[in-house]
Amino acid sequence: MKQGDPRQNTGAARSALRPSLSLSRQNWRQAAAALLAVFLLGLCPLPGSADPFPAVIDHRYGTTTVLAKPTRIVSLSFIGHDFLLALGERPYALRKWYGSDPYGVWPWGHDALGEAQPVVMRGEIDIERIAAMEPDLIAAQWSGITAQQYALLSQIAPTLPPRAEDGDYGTPWQQMLLRLGTATGKRTTAEAIVTRIEGRFADLRAAHPEWQGASAMMAWAGHTRAYTRADIRGQFLTALGFSVQDAPDGQNALNQFYIEFPAEDPSAMDVDALIWLDTGRNVEKLARMPLRHTTRAYREGREIYADKLLSAALSHSSPLSLDYALDQLVPLLEAAVDGDPATVVSSTANAGLLAKGGS
């Protein structure tokens, strides 16, 4: 990732402000103070200040150059609008993933969206429609964009696909935010957000030594598919210190963000904390799941049922949703990981999913 070099005018500034040798000691001090002020105010980025353009960003398909601050951003990422809103950038158009909100923005993003009414796109990427919007930045991390689509979209406007080292849906939230921060001139703001949220994860790791190295997994209710370390949900658990299964190596390994286990043998899902994600419609399916009752996670009360909102917060793992996810999930993890069925996981109990004989 590269940016325009803010040091390019340093020499001129120094020359213009170099104090005369004939200055008195008092004037020298005043000049030195003025020089320092200029350096601090003019040459060092301030929180919220605009970063220099052009911004140059490397990615899996090459390099994208954003010549000036974008004002008409089309977000093709299923979760990227959260990241733009966290930076104070309201997209002109966004790609709705799921949920009942007409603009595809979940509650944690409502304040940041304000009264804005972005154009909503759904389903496959419609390049002709995007061209008609005349965007000046197309944000396409976590969008599944192909090389062919990038080749077309980048003729419309600067387009930002994922990094080369990440899968289609595996870019860490920090990198997604920092790269958007660079593209929108909000790099300093992005860095401050990353520092704050990473600090919260670090505090939670320090407060929970029992989590460090314990096994954990997220899966959709009623299914034997679980997210790997490469997925943003696996990354969330890893950031808390849990051990999460790796994706198998091999062809297209970067995009293997989940593993499917045989329904007749759920032993691989028998972890210290098993989080069932749900859209709110699969409680009965989970309750009837064959062989679930044979697992230690079930018997020892290590299962966590994540309701629709918590599941969405985890599945977005955005700078806006992570705080909500931590607020809700941490108490549930504390109750689940101790392995004592008498310590009730409230969300699992409320969904009627506790083991028979559990509290």
Side-chain angles (χ1 to χ4, degrees):
M1 188 180 303
K2 305 171 183 175
Q3 297 180 44
D5 189 352
R7 298 167 299 181
Q8 61 187 353
N9 294 322
T10 301
R14 285 173 175 162
S15 299
L17 294 168
R18 182 178 294 124
S20 165
L21 295 175
S22 63
L23 287 173
S24 67
R25 177 171 294 183
Q26 181 178 3
N27 287 340
W28 169 270
R29 288 175 176 165
Q30 291 173 346
L35 178 63
L36 178 61
V38 168
F39 268 85
L40 290 176
L41 293 173
L43 301 179
C44 297
L46 295 173
S49 64
D51 287 353
F53 287 94
V56 183
I57 306 168
D58 294 331
H59 51 74
R60 64 169 57 173
Y61 300 130
T63 299
T64 289
T65 300
V66 184
L67 294 175
K69 180 171 176 55
T71 59
R72 199 175 175 91
I73 303 172
V74 169
S75 176
L76 299 184
S77 167
F78 291 105
I79 60 176
H81 46 274
D82 263 16
F83 291 71
L84 289 167
L85 291 172
L87 294 171
E89 300 290 332
R90 294 169 177 164
Y92 173 78
L94 60 80
R95 191 177 181 191
K96 181 177 179 177
W97 186 11
Y98 73 102
S100 58
D101 185 272
Y103 299 108
V105 177
W106 289 76
W108 43 80
H110 285 171
D111 287 345
L113 182 66
E115 299 302 317
Q117 298 181 344
V119 175
V120 175
M121 302 173 287
R122 304 195 70 163
E124 298 299 316
I125 295 173
D126 186 338
I127 293 177
E128 289 185 357
R129 187 181 182 196
I130 294 167
M133 295 178 191
E134 299 182 345
D136 53 11
L137 176 67
I138 300 173
Q141 301 178 100
W142 230 82
S143 71
I145 182 176
T146 66
Q148 183 180 20
Q149 288 169 330
Y150 171 76
L152 293 171
L153 290 168
S154 59
Q155 296 180 55
I156 299 170
T159 302
L160 182 59
R163 297 190 305 175
E165 57 265 51
D166 300 318
D168 287 334
Y169 303 105
T171 306
W173 67 266
Q174 298 96 324
Q175 284 301 321
M176 283 188 61
L177 185 67
L178 291 170
R179 289 159 61 80
L180 282 173
T182 300
T184 59
K186 296 287 187 67
R187 175 79 183 196
T188 306
T189 302
E191 290 173 345
I193 294 171
V194 169
T195 298
R196 183 189 69 77
I197 297 177
E198 284 190 336
R200 189 172 180 194
F201 275 100
D203 290 344
L204 287 166
R205 287 195 301 273
H208 294 89
E210 73 278 15
W211 293 356
Q212 309 313 302
S215 57
M217 189 173 284
M218 290 194 200
W220 281 97
H223 296 274
T224 52
R225 289 192 297 269
Y227 293 106
T228 68
R229 284 170 56 92
D231 183 79
I232 54 175
R233 284 147 287 210
Q235 293 169 17
F236 179 97
L237 290 171
T238 302
L240 290 173
F242 289 98
S243 173
V244 179
Q245 188 153 345
D246 278 320
D249 293 330
Q251 188 175 11
N252 201 30
L254 286 177
N255 284 328
Q256 294 189 23
F257 54 91
Y258 70 84
I259 301 174
E260 182 150 13
F261 303 106
E264 62 272 21
D265 181 14
S267 59
M269 301 181 71
D270 208 354
V271 289
D272 295 322
L274 176 56
I275 300 158
W276 293 111
L277 306 175
D278 194 12
T279 57
R281 296 178 294 188
N282 291 303
V283 171
E284 289 301 319
K285 184 175 183 177
L286 178 57
R288 296 194 308 270
M289 191 174 178
L291 302 181
R292 171 174 162 252
H293 66 283
T294 67
T295 64
R296 180 180 63 108
Y298 173 80
R299 293 193 307 272
E300 296 183 356
R302 296 176 180 275
E303 292 181 310
I304 296 171
Y305 175 75
D307 64 14
K308 180 179 179 180
L309 202 54
L310 176 55
S311 296
L314 292 165
S315 296
H316 281 68
S317 283
S318 77
L320 295 179
S321 75
L322 283 170
D323 282 316
Y324 177 84
L326 289 171
D327 290 344
Q328 300 299 312
L329 187 60
V330 165
L332 302 176
L333 283 168
E334 290 169 339
V337 173
D338 72 356
D340 182 356
T343 309
V344 174
V345 179
S346 60
S347 63
T348 309
N350 293 338
L353 291 167
L354 288 180
K356 291 181 179 178
S359 300

